């Protein structure tokens, strides 16, 4: 709306100036909640934000100035201004700046410029002085002058202080009055159930004090098409790494903010939902809510708490992530509430070409963020149509969770400590493309063999096949339950199937261990004998397939079969 002509020649009582928009908004809210009339707020030259009262006719402004100073409701050095220096009005929300002022939008940049503009330092302005305690009748009168938003703010502040557990509705019933009485008692005030003007300022001040040092600032990033409050006191812009605009910690608070922006449809949004949960900054434990056009991911562990909110609108996927250190939940919740409330979008998404490739790229990172890694990767293979997977017992040690192929959760259904093997079952049923046929016939010494596995963990998406020879049908000390192999296997191959040249499974590759301080030559490996594996699996009541036929399979065909049968086994510690 536009101010009337008479108001354009009016004046204001300027009572305070703040360096940040958030500080100014909090100050304006505090004055209004304390019953100070006609509170307004404008951007000032030099990057400051002013709190003023008005507009008034000059004679009325002088009267109001003296009255409020005498009541100690405003600072003693408040003064009258003509308003020509006022720019964009930020309080109350939705009102245009007065005539003669200049509305200035934040600059549109590809890199958010959060550096405060240099300005002449103004004379220090004293903090507002609290109004002396009112009698009950005066407190009731000043409370009646509050609007619904101001009443809700007081309920919110009491809820944050732990004295109000009712609805935030601005309606002061029996529950709100009891909350006020409890707050008054806890703060050495008479428990009248009606807050005086000074008590309201005290309550709102305590509520806002938790944000001191957070530097909450409204940031508009035109590159990502996102505008929101960001705690610039603890994070600073780091880089664009599509689909993220990343803000990293700038000080002692290990916080991080990601603006998320990319084009896409529902399928791509669902893909982003899955990808985000692989990031190290998003712990696996926490609530997940995915809807048709939005999702929320919360994560928590003993180090961090994270909150991610994403929405899909008009072919644009946008949202944000806040990562905050664990143990600081009071400030985290306040900062997060400000971010959620202020989040708005403008047209446009982050251009993938905004960030050029560099030498810091890595396969275990997504857009510059580390992917959550398992503590151990080993190999396994399907042994029946139920999707059960045989692997080495070493693969599952000290795990809080186990995955197959980095996608499917699995549980342990059988362990055999003597043979060093375990059988895993996916929590959701899988239909394996191929299953093992265990060779029960006696293999020929020096026969060609092959091991399928993941020598480099999850770096490769398909198993690798390593070829070698069957060196002995027993162990070095004549053990019947193992076979000795001559093959250059890697730790990640352990748990993988050992094939004869016809594709039958001779056994399972064992992890390499040192005994009596001795290290065997790198080509010496061992596998658990197929007969021993079959006996253990059948003894556990599980299905297994055997064969005694001898056949031949080309290396190419064996490689294809191994890719269908072998799967990555990952051990995670939450």
């Amino acid at each position: 709306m536009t101010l009337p002509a008479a108001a354009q020649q009016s004046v204001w009582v300027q009572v305070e100036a703040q360096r940040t928009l958030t500080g100014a908004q909090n100050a304006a809210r505090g004055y209004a909640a304390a019953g100070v009339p006609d509170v307004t707020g404008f951007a000032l030259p030099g990057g400051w934000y002013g709190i003023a009262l008005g507009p008034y006719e000059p004679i009325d402004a002088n009267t109001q100035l003296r009255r409020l100073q005498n009541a100690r409701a405003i600072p003693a050095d408040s003064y009258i201004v003509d308003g020509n220096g006022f720019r964009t009005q930020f309080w109350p929300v939705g009102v245009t700046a007065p005539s003669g002022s200049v509305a200035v939008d934040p600059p549109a940049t590809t890199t958010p410029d959060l550096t405060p503009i240099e300005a002449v330092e103004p004379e220090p302005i004293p903090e507002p002085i609290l109004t002396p305690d009112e009698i009950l009748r005066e407190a009731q009168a000043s409370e009646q002058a509050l609007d619904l938003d101001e009443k809700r703010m007081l309920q919110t502040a009491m809820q944050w202080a732990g004295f109000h557990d009712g609805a935030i509705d601005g309606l002061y019933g029996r529950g709100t009055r009891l909350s006020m009485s409890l707050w008054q008692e806890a703060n050495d005030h008479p428990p009248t159930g009606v807050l005086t003007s000074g008590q309201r300022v005290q309550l709102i001040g305590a509520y806002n004090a938790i944000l001191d040092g957070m530097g909450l600032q409204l940031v508009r990033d035109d590159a990502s098409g996102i505008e929101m409050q960001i705690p610039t006191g603890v994070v600073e812009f780091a880089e664009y790494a599509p689909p993220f605009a990343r803000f990293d910690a700038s000080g002692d608070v290990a916080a991080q903010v990601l603006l998320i922006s990319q084009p896409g449809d529902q399928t791509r949004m669902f893909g982003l939902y899955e990808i985000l949960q692989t990031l190290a900054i998003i712990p696996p434990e926490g609530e997940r809510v995915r809807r048709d056009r939005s999702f929320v991911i919360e994560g928590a562990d003993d180090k961090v708490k994270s909150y991610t909110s994403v929405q899909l609108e008009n072919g644009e996927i946008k949202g944000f992530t806040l990562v905050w250190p664990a143990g600081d939940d009071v400030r985290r919740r306040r900062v997060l509430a400000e971010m959620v409330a202020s989040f708005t979008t403008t047209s446009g998404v982050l251009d993938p070409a905004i960030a050029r490739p560099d030498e810091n790229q890595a396969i275990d990172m997504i857009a510059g963020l580390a992917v959550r890694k398992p503590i151990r990767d080993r190999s396994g293979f399907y042994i029946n149509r139920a999707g059960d997977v045989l692997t080495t017992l070493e693969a599952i040690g000290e795990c809080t969770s186990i995955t197959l192929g980095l996608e499917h959760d699995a549980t342990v259904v059988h362990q055999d400590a003597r043979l060093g093997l375990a059988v895993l079952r996916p929590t959701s049923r899988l239909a394996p493309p191929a299953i093992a046929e265990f060779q029960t016939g006696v293999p020929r010494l020096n026969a060609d063999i092959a091991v399928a596995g993941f020598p480099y963990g999850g770096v490769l998406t398909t198993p690798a096949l390593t070829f070698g020879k069957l060196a002995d049908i027993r162990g070095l000390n004549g053990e019947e339950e193992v076979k000795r192999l001559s093959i250059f296997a890697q730790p990640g191959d352990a748990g993988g199937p050992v094939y004869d040249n016809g594709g039958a499974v001779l056994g399972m590759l064992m992890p390499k261990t040192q005994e009596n301080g001795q290290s065997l030559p790198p080509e010496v490996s061992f596998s658990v004998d197929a007969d021993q594996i079959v006996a253990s699996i059948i003894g556990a009541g599980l299905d297994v397939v055997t064969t005694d036929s001898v056949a031949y399979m080309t290396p190419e065909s064996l490689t294809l079969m191994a890719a269908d049968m072998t799967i990555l086994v990952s051990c995670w510690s939450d």
Side-chain angles (χ1 to χ4, degrees), residues 63-80:
T63 301
Q64 192 75 297
L65 174 64
R66 289 194 300 271
R67 185 181 72 82
L68 294 173
Q69 285 176 328
N70 291 337
R72 297 183 179 180
I74 62 175
D77 59 354
S78 300
Y79 58 97
I80 295 174

Side-chain angles (χ1 to χ4, degrees), residues 73 368 391 416 424 543 573:
T391 189
D416 190 324
L424 310 177
D543 294 332
S573 176

Side-chain angles (χ1 to χ4, degrees), residues 430-485:
L430 296 179
I435 62 173
E437 291 187 354
F438 289 94
Q439 177 62 263
T440 58
V442 179
R444 188 184 303 276
L445 285 177
N446 292 318
D448 293 331
I449 55 101
V451 171
F454 293 85
Y456 305 105
V459 174
L460 300 178
T461 58
T462 57
L465 210 60
T466 305
F467 294 90
K469 296 285 187 180
L470 176 63
D472 198 338
I473 60 173
R474 299 176 182 82
L476 289 174
N477 296 313
E479 300 94 336
E480 296 287 344
E481 66 272 15
V482 300
K483 290 180 171 64
R484 178 163 60 91
L485 313 177

Side-chain angles (χ1 to χ4, degrees), residues 115-128:
T115 306
I117 299 173
E118 291 294 332
V120 177
E121 193 71 24
E123 291 295 324
I125 299 176
E127 293 293 323

Side-chain angles (χ1 to χ4, degrees), residues 381 383 389-396 412-424 438 481 495 507-511 528-537 540 542:
F381 57 101
I383 59 172
V389 172
L390 179 68
T391 189
T392 171
L393 195 60
E394 180 216 22
I396 64 172
V412 180
V413 294
H414 174 56
Q415 297 184 62
D416 190 324
R418 182 179 69 87
L419 298 178
L421 61 82
V423 177
L424 310 177
F438 289 94
E481 66 272 15
M508 180 196 74
L509 186 70
M510 301 174 65
V528 183
D529 182 72
D531 288 338
Q532 298 286 329
I533 294 173
V534 169
S536 179
I537 293 175
L542 303 176

